[in-house]
Amino acid sequence: KTRSHDMQSSGERLDDNNNDNTVTRRRFTRRRRVALNARSSFSSKGGLIVKNVLVTCALWLLVFSSEKSSSFCNGDDDVKCPTSNEFQTLSPITQPSPIEEMEWLARYDYANKDDHTKKTERVIAKLSNGQIYQSKDNGKTFADETAVLRGFQEDKGFIVDRILVPSDDLYTKRVILQGNKDRHWASKDLGDSWIQPCGFESANDDDANNCFKSPTGGKYEQGYRIVGSMVMHPGEHRDGYILALVSRPECERTYYDDTVTCAKDLMLTTDFGRTEWRNLTDSSDNDIVSFVDFDWGPDPDPTHSEASVLATVYTSKEDLWKSRHHPGFSFAVTFIRSSSFFVGKDWYAHKTPCGNVFEVLNKDVYVAALKDCDKYLKMLEDSKDISDEEEKELRYDHVQLEVSTDSGETFNPICFPENIRAKSFTIFDFDAVQKGPDFISIDHAEEETSAVEGAAPMGNLYAADDSLRLFSLSLRRNVRERGVADFSGVAGMNGVFIANQISRDAFKSTYNYNDVDYSSYYQTLQSFNGGGVWRYIPAPKKDANGNDIQGCTVTDDSKTVCSLHLHGESAWSGGENWETRFGAVYSHQSTPGVIISTGNVGNVLSKEASEVNTYISRDGGYTWEETLQGPHIYEFGNFGALIVAAKESSVGQTDEVWFSRDVGKCWEGPIKLSKPINVHNIRTDVVQKGSVFVIHGEDATKSESYQASGIAYVIDFDNLLLSNSTFRVDKCDEKNDYETWFLNIPNQKECNMGEKVERRRRKRYARCLNLEDGVVSELQDTVSQSHVCECEHMFDTSCEYGYYRVHSSPSAISGCDPMPNVNIEECAYLIDKGSIPKSHERIVHGDVCNNPLNALGAEYDDLGHKKGKKHSTKHPLFGFIIFCLFGGAFYVVYKYFDLGRYVPHGFRDAVNEFFENVMDWLRRMRSNMGSSSGGGGGGFRRFGGGGGSRPDGYFEPLADFDEDEI
């Protein structure tokens, strides 16, 4: 499971009241084209001989009005699609309001971990009005569960606010329905039975004292509130441990009364809420006056006497009082770790002063502290009270990140080539499921260059080395809207990433950011080597109907500007409502190599629904097909053997659903729906093993009412009815229906991230259902074998901290040049390494290739003499002049007399490429000389105007950088 977390100011982070994003579980969808010709692809069955124009028109009118069952193939006459079937119309599950949150749970028996035949599956859905529906047959049928939740009183405001389950645990069966007030319901058997809120337990219960107490102590009416969510310990060995942050009554007054402060207590239960919760603020013996944020620490040793707790806290009332004027980051906040629930002083040895925000990602712990912390502590040491003048010297907006790779025992500073602003920034950690670096998306440097760039919704994307302490620039101008970065890892494919970037054209000759629609400059890029280099995505040449794609010219020329662009996560989660959302890249661990998304072919990404279509790749994103015209919402099932798709609500209601059994080549259906629906999402089991899908959304017939009604449809491929029989899909034959495949990028010798990984997958046109526990399963990888490759400079390297790659082509990549204004001395870890390769490169984190020296070179650069120096890119003046004189003279003669016509094409191309590289170098020289003489503060600089062609072909490091732009 890919993890990405925003690190925001603590108050923002914990204010995570549910909204309609919750149900998405971080998957993405898009809309469908409304144009009439899009509908023509769903042609009716049968045909008529066209004898004249009138008969032709009548036929088309019949097609558009009745759309009978059919199956159609996308752009390939050689592929025979399955015979058309007429399916029975599906009946809806009606609900008082739409589904807002859904948890599809599958849990194994903890006592028999090796027996994977015994599994409990439940689907729990929360409606927007707080009611709970549950399915106990894996989504086939649903029942209103609210009637068994005692104390649920919608008319009095006692409803369910959110569904809580421990993360990433295939064995625990704990579930909590957190109420919006003092009443909460819990289960230890996936909802087969519910522990009722205290005060509502029945005398007929086996244990009348078995109730769930609220962490507020039943004092909601007195002003005590749960902040955010309760957090269960992720380990089954601590199945009764829950933490909750509770604000005190005075917090309500801080909105209008500046004379009060808001203190929060961290509450603990170790018996699943059965007895009174323990106040950990009191346990600290007043060493802690208020908690800010909290989480369970990594628990590497289940036999440890106590679990570890991570938290940010205030340690004095004076600090808490002063912080009311700094709602964001505060110097008075301290990050701490305790293994005694804050009894005693053990956390004194595990604290980070000024640490305001933290995240736990795959047992790595990241902490964000204010960079001026040492200056602040020195001021406190010299004087108990910091004056207003001294406080002005402190920067509340510069952050230092630290990381722990030993479960929070020790922390080390992270080196970035730019200052990190105290804004939201996102950390991506893919190590748990695939090899590759951690990434951090940060919105920072643009504000120091121009108002136009500062206003742009973008940040820079940095990739880590294997120590997680050196982060290098991977991608500039990464789209970042409302704190959400458009950056996705492709599940199951090591080192494969897709990101959106704002084109540099958005900043040309523009001085007023109000004049710029940045979203009209979004472009999509892809990397196959952990962000070391990026490329545009080659566009498919044919649309879903087999016609040439219109809008821009698609050729075999690697320099073409026409490419495929895909919407990112920000367009999905950032939408104001279901009608304004766009979706993005979607992949799943159960179907390695298959990616589905919506987007468009062109020069930039479009937000016009009429220009958006649905695309699919089955080779890790190297090639793409247009699979459906118009934007759709979609879901995989049965390990990719089934894909279900429906028109998104953003382009209107629909009364039909389509499905594919061959990874989007042929679509079968439609399966008619008895009532039209504005689709919100399509869901299946969490491991995408099964063949049951739930399509849910709003009842389109009541969408104009004050409160929309919910509606859902269930498609069960084990019991899908035809007009006169049952639709059956054969099970796959293990010997004949599977093939071996591997990610094969041209010129990479069948290697990616240092190894050739061969996987087993179902043949595309087998159109059978995968074996439940055979070739693939949720607990068994699809990798059949792999072998390690030799390291190569072209494919296995990225630039070291403080360096960037300027230019590359399909046949060569340039070395790494130093970034301006990077002070090596500020990165003690890099200096302590003593030396780095003279190429200023490193092997991409997660790349397992053999013989790194083969790619990096055997010569190393001594860093000792660079201490205290900033990078300088000046070259000897004499050599520069001589080079310019002789090279320039030869270039003028060569071009003026057109000498290239007298030589073979191969030689002429080589000479032209040589001069192109020379001009690249000269422009860099000009820019670097301007950099050293023109001053400039921290952060990236921009140079005026600019031009030049984009880097061509596959290798496009830092996307569309000009050679003089960084």
Side-chain angles (χ1 to χ4, degrees):
K1 183 179 179 181
T2 299
R3 290 177 174 267
S4 63
H5 286 265
D6 274 352
M7 297 185 71
Q8 303 170 327
S9 62
S10 305
E12 294 174 318
R13 181 178 173 273
L14 285 166
D15 186 16
D16 60 348
N17 291 328
N18 275 329
N19 52 45
D20 51 7
N21 294 350
T22 310
V23 74
T24 65
R25 77 178 192 322
R26 302 183 68 80
R27 64 167 303 249
F28 318 107
T29 52
R30 285 275 292 302
R31 312 184 209 167
R32 180 184 173 196
R33 180 178 296 180
V34 190
L36 290 179
N37 62 354
R39 252 188 116 176
S40 67
S41 63
F42 301 92
S43 58
S44 62
K45 187 172 78 173
L48 296 175
I49 300 176
V50 181
K51 295 182 179 180
N52 51 52
V53 174
L54 292 177
V55 174
T56 302
C57 293
L59 174 61
W60 281 107
L61 287 173
L62 177 63
V63 170
F64 289 132
S65 62
S66 61
E67 276 192 346
K68 294 182 181 178
S69 301
S70 66
S71 64
F72 62 91
C73 179
N74 291 319
D76 194 339
D77 296 334
D78 295 332
V79 176
K80 184 178 180 180
C81 285
T83 304
S84 301
N85 291 292
E86 186 169 346
F87 298 93
Q88 287 191 12
T89 300
L90 296 180
S91 299
I93 302 171
T94 57
Q95 301 141 346
S97 62
I99 294 175
E100 186 177 72
E101 182 179 3
M102 180 182 287
E103 292 288 346
W104 204 306
L105 306 172
R107 298 293 186 260
Y108 296 94
D109 188 353
Y110 183 75
N112 299 289
K113 285 190 173 183
D114 296 330
D115 184 1
H116 295 150
T117 62
K118 298 179 180 179
K119 183 168 66 171
T120 303
E121 295 176 310
R122 296 286 183 270
V123 185
I124 302 176
K126 185 186 82 70
L127 310 186
S128 58
N129 69 348
Q131 286 184 246
I132 295 294
Y133 275 66
Q134 183 176 189
S135 171
K136 296 184 178 181
D137 54 8
N138 201 33
K140 296 180 181 180
T141 60
F142 282 82
D144 187 353
E145 192 79 358
T146 311
V148 301
L149 302 180
R150 302 179 196 136
F152 185 98
Q153 294 176 287
E154 184 179 356
D155 58 334
K156 295 185 178 180
F158 291 96
I159 60 175
V160 175
D161 187 56
R162 60 194 72 188
I163 305 171
L164 307 178
V165 294
S167 60
D168 303 336
D169 193 329
L170 290 175
Y171 301 99
T172 183
K173 297 181 180 181
R174 294 168 288 156
V175 180
I176 295 177
L177 305 179
Q178 181 174 318
N180 62 329
K181 295 184 178 180
D182 264 342
R183 300 175 188 175
H184 318 285
W185 301 263
S187 175
K188 287 189 174 183
D189 53 18
L190 285 185
D192 280 349
S193 61
W194 294 100
I195 302 171
Q196 305 294 339
C198 290
F200 293 89
E201 65 272 27
S202 170
N204 296 325
D205 291 340
D206 294 336
D207 184 353
N209 295 320
N210 186 24
C211 63
F212 193 90
K213 287 182 167 58
S214 174
T216 61
K219 299 178 181 178
Y220 181 87
E221 297 299 329
Q222 300 176 32
Y224 291 89
R225 302 284 190 269
I226 297 177
V227 181
S229 300
M230 292 182 270
V231 180
M232 288 178 275
H233 194 283
E236 183 64 24
H237 56 286
R238 305 191 195 279
D239 63 354
Y241 287 46
I242 311 171
L243 292 171
L245 191 66
V246 174
S247 63
R248 299 176 190 172
E250 57 266 25
C251 292
E252 295 291 318
R253 295 169 49 197
T254 57
Y255 294 104
Y256 57 86
D257 188 348
D258 193 43
T259 65
V260 298
T261 59
C262 178
K264 304 181 185 73
D265 299 306
L266 187 59
M267 311 300 293
L268 166 73
T269 176
T270 58
D271 59 6
F272 210 56
R274 183 170 179 174
T275 58
E276 294 294 335
W277 291 61
R278 177 176 161 190
N279 190 327
L280 299 186
T281 311
D282 296 339
S283 298
S284 71
D285 196 21
N286 296 321
D287 285 337
I288 298 172
V289 299
S290 176
F291 284 84
V292 180
D293 195 4
F294 72 97
D295 201 353
W296 294 105
D299 198 1
D301 182 9
T303 64
H304 196 278
S305 58
E306 287 294 356
S308 66
V309 178
L310 308 178
T312 47
V313 300
Y314 288 101
T315 57
S316 75
K317 293 181 179 180
E318 292 77 12
D319 288 340
L320 181 61
W321 171 257
K322 293 176 183 177
S323 70
R324 72 193 194 284
H325 295 303
H326 297 286
F329 277 50
S330 170
F331 285 96
V333 174
T334 301
F335 168 79
I336 61 177
R337 171 182 176 271
S338 174
S339 297
S340 64
F341 295 126
F342 308 101
V343 175
K345 309 286 186 182
D346 76 315
W347 58 270
Y348 273 59
H350 300 90
K351 66 179 182 178
T352 300
C354 311
N356 280 249
V357 180
F358 70 94
E359 287 293 348
V360 182
L361 299 174
N362 297 326
K363 296 187 178 180
D364 299 330
V365 183
Y366 286 89
V367 176
L370 285 169
K371 201 168 188 178
D372 277 354
C373 191
D374 289 340
K375 183 187 294 185
Y376 169 79
L377 296 176
K378 182 66 168 60
M379 289 179 180
L380 284 182
E381 184 179 327
D382 296 339
S383 174
K384 292 293 184 181
D385 192 18
I386 298 177
S387 66
D388 292 340
E389 290 300 319
E390 289 177 318
E391 188 170 357
K392 291 179 181 179
E393 299 178 13
L394 299 173
R395 294 292 300 264
Y396 282 82
D397 58 347
H398 280 186
V399 168
Q400 170 68 57
L401 281 182
E402 297 184 359
V403 65
S404 171
T405 57
D406 56 6
S407 303
E409 284 289 335
T410 59
F411 285 85
N412 294 299
I414 296 174
C415 293
F416 283 90
E418 298 291 339
N419 287 324
I420 304 173
R421 296 292 185 125
K423 292 186 175 181
S424 61
F425 42 91
T426 310
I427 300 177
F428 299 86
D429 188 347
F430 301 94
D431 288 348
V433 293
Q434 61 195 85
K435 299 169 183 175
D438 285 12
F439 288 87
I440 298 182
S441 171
I442 303 172
D443 181 5
H444 55 172
E446 296 81 23
E447 294 182 353
E448 299 182 1
T449 55
S450 70
V452 176
E453 292 192 16
M458 66 184 186
N460 291 334
L461 193 65
Y462 296 88
D465 71 340
D466 55 3
S467 70
L468 302 185
R469 297 184 62 180
L470 298 174
F471 277 75
S472 296
L473 180 63
S474 176
L475 182 67
R476 282 195 65 194
R477 305 191 304 278
N478 177 218
V479 172
R480 184 180 176 83
E481 292 188 358
R482 302 174 184 89
V484 179
D486 278 0
F487 175 67
S488 301
V490 177
M493 305 302 296
N494 297 334
V496 182
F497 300 98
I498 297 175
N500 281 337
Q501 182 190 59
I502 298 180
S503 168
R504 56 183 169 80
D505 294 338
F507 310 105
K508 287 185 175 180
S509 304
T510 302
Y511 301 96
N512 186 353
Y513 61 84
N514 292 320
D515 297 335
V516 183
D517 177 11
Y518 296 102
S519 65
S520 62
Y521 292 93
Y522 292 0
Q523 297 177 324
T524 301
L525 305 160
Q526 186 170 30
S527 174
F528 289 98
N529 73 333
V533 289
W534 295 84
R535 71 158 191 168
Y536 293 95
I537 301 178
K541 296 182 180 181
K542 300 290 184 178
D543 65 14
N545 292 327
N547 302 316
D548 291 338
I549 289 180
Q550 304 298 316
C552 61
T553 303
V554 183
T555 69
D556 291 326
D557 183 2
S558 61
K559 293 185 177 181
T560 180
V561 297
C562 187
S563 58
L564 177 63
H565 303 282
L566 307 171
H567 277 277
E569 182 183 351
S570 65
W572 172 260
S573 60
E576 296 179 1
N577 50 53
W578 293 105
E579 285 71 34
T580 60
R581 290 178 177 172
F582 287 83
V585 177
Y586 181 44
S587 60
H588 196 275
Q589 190 74 14
S590 68
T591 57
V594 180
I595 316 169
I596 190 167
S597 182
T598 52
N600 61 279
V601 172
N603 303 115
V604 294
L605 182 64
S606 175
K607 287 193 173 182
E608 293 294 329
S610 61
E611 299 175 357
V612 173
N613 297 295
T614 307
Y615 299 87
I616 198 165
S617 171
R618 65 189 299 264
D619 57 9
Y622 181 68
T623 61
W624 291 78
E625 303 169 4
E626 183 181 302
T627 185
L628 287 168
Q629 287 196 329
H632 289 69
I633 189 166
Y634 31 72
E635 180 60 284
F636 303 129
N638 189 242
F639 307 109
L642 295 169
I643 303 177
V644 174
K647 184 173 70 174
E648 255 192 352
S649 62
S650 53
V651 286
Q653 65 188 37
T654 186
D655 63 353
E656 60 187 30
V657 178
W658 297 80
F659 69 93
S660 174
R661 292 182 285 150
D662 51 20
V663 198
K665 178 58 71 174
C666 296
W667 290 90
E668 300 176 67
I671 302 173
K672 284 293 186 178
L673 311 177
S674 61
K675 296 180 70 175
I677 179 176
N678 292 314
V679 180
H680 289 179
N681 215 332
I682 302 176
R683 298 292 303 274
T684 189
D685 63 282
V686 66
V687 294
Q688 299 188 341
K689 169 186 176 181
S691 54
V692 177
F693 296 78
V694 176
I695 301 122
H696 65 85
E698 296 179 6
D699 185 342
T701 63
K702 300 180 180 180
S703 60
E704 301 299 325
S705 61
Y706 176 73
Q707 182 176 0
S709 297
I711 190 172
Y713 292 93
V714 175
I715 301 180
D716 179 5
F717 282 92
D718 292 330
N719 191 32
L720 188 59
L721 299 179
L722 299 171
S723 57
N724 54 7
S725 62
T726 301
F727 181 76
R728 297 296 182 191
V729 182
D730 293 335
K731 294 290 184 180
C732 294
D733 179 78
E734 187 171 348
K735 293 183 178 180
N736 300 317
D737 291 332
Y738 290 90
E739 63 184 1
T740 299
W741 79 282
F742 54 89
L743 181 60
N744 186 16
I745 307 301
N747 303 319
Q748 288 194 209
K749 300 180 180 179
E750 302 180 350
C751 297
N752 195 63
M753 293 293 285
E755 62 181 338
K756 177 181 178 180
V757 179
E758 296 183 359
R759 293 179 169 87
R760 293 272 289 167
R761 70 178 177 186
R762 191 204 62 168
K763 294 178 181 178
R764 186 170 199 175
Y765 301 117
R767 299 193 178 102
C768 52
L769 293 183
N770 280 302
L771 305 176
E772 184 169 319
D773 290 299
V775 176
V776 292
S777 75
E778 68 268 33
L779 297 176
Q780 176 181 330
D781 198 355
T782 58
V783 175
S784 58
Q785 63 177 340
S786 64
H787 69 265
V788 178
C789 308
E790 288 291 303
C791 294
E792 294 196 32
H793 178 241
M794 283 277 292
F795 313 116
D796 302 304
T797 65
S798 63
C799 291
E800 185 54 272
Y801 164 79
Y803 294 85
Y804 72 100
R805 186 165 281 145
V806 177
H807 182 76
S808 59
S809 70
S811 58
I813 57 176
S814 70
C816 295
D817 286 3
M819 294 177 61
N821 306 309
V822 175
N823 193 338
I824 294 296
E825 188 179 16
E826 291 183 356
C827 184
Y829 178 72
L830 184 64
I831 295 296
D832 291 342
K833 290 180 68 173
S835 62
I836 60 174
K838 275 190 175 293
S839 62
H840 304 137
E841 294 169 315
R842 67 191 184 204
I843 300 298
V844 174
H845 178 37
D847 193 304
V848 297
C849 63
N850 280 328
N851 191 14
L853 293 180
N854 186 53
L856 302 176
E859 296 184 9
Y860 276 70
D861 190 4
D862 182 14
L863 298 179
H865 70 282
K866 297 189 176 184
K867 185 173 292 190
K869 297 181 180 180
K870 292 186 178 181
H871 284 311
S872 174
T873 54
K874 291 184 179 180
H875 294 260
L877 182 61
F878 179 76
F880 174 74
I881 294 175
I882 294 299
F883 185 90
C884 288
L885 287 176
F886 284 93
F890 180 75
Y891 178 74
V892 170
V893 171
Y894 179 83
K895 298 295 286 187
Y896 183 79
F897 293 103
D898 193 17
L899 299 181
R901 59 183 172 168
Y902 300 113
V903 297
H905 290 294
F907 179 80
R908 183 182 61 191
D909 292 342
V911 172
N912 288 336
E913 183 175 356
F914 169 77
F915 279 122
E916 181 181 351
N917 290 334
V918 170
M919 295 305 296
D920 291 345
W921 180 80
L922 289 173
R923 280 190 283 265
R924 288 205 306 276
M925 284 288 300
R926 178 201 66 195
S927 300
N928 288 329
M929 292 178 69
S931 167
S932 60
S933 61
F940 294 112
R941 299 180 304 104
R942 279 196 52 80
F943 295 86
S949 62
R950 299 172 178 173
D952 50 79
Y954 159 57
F955 283 103
E956 301 195 36
L958 308 183
D960 61 351
F961 277 15
D962 278 337
E963 52 278 351
D964 62 349
E965 180 187 11
I966 184 64

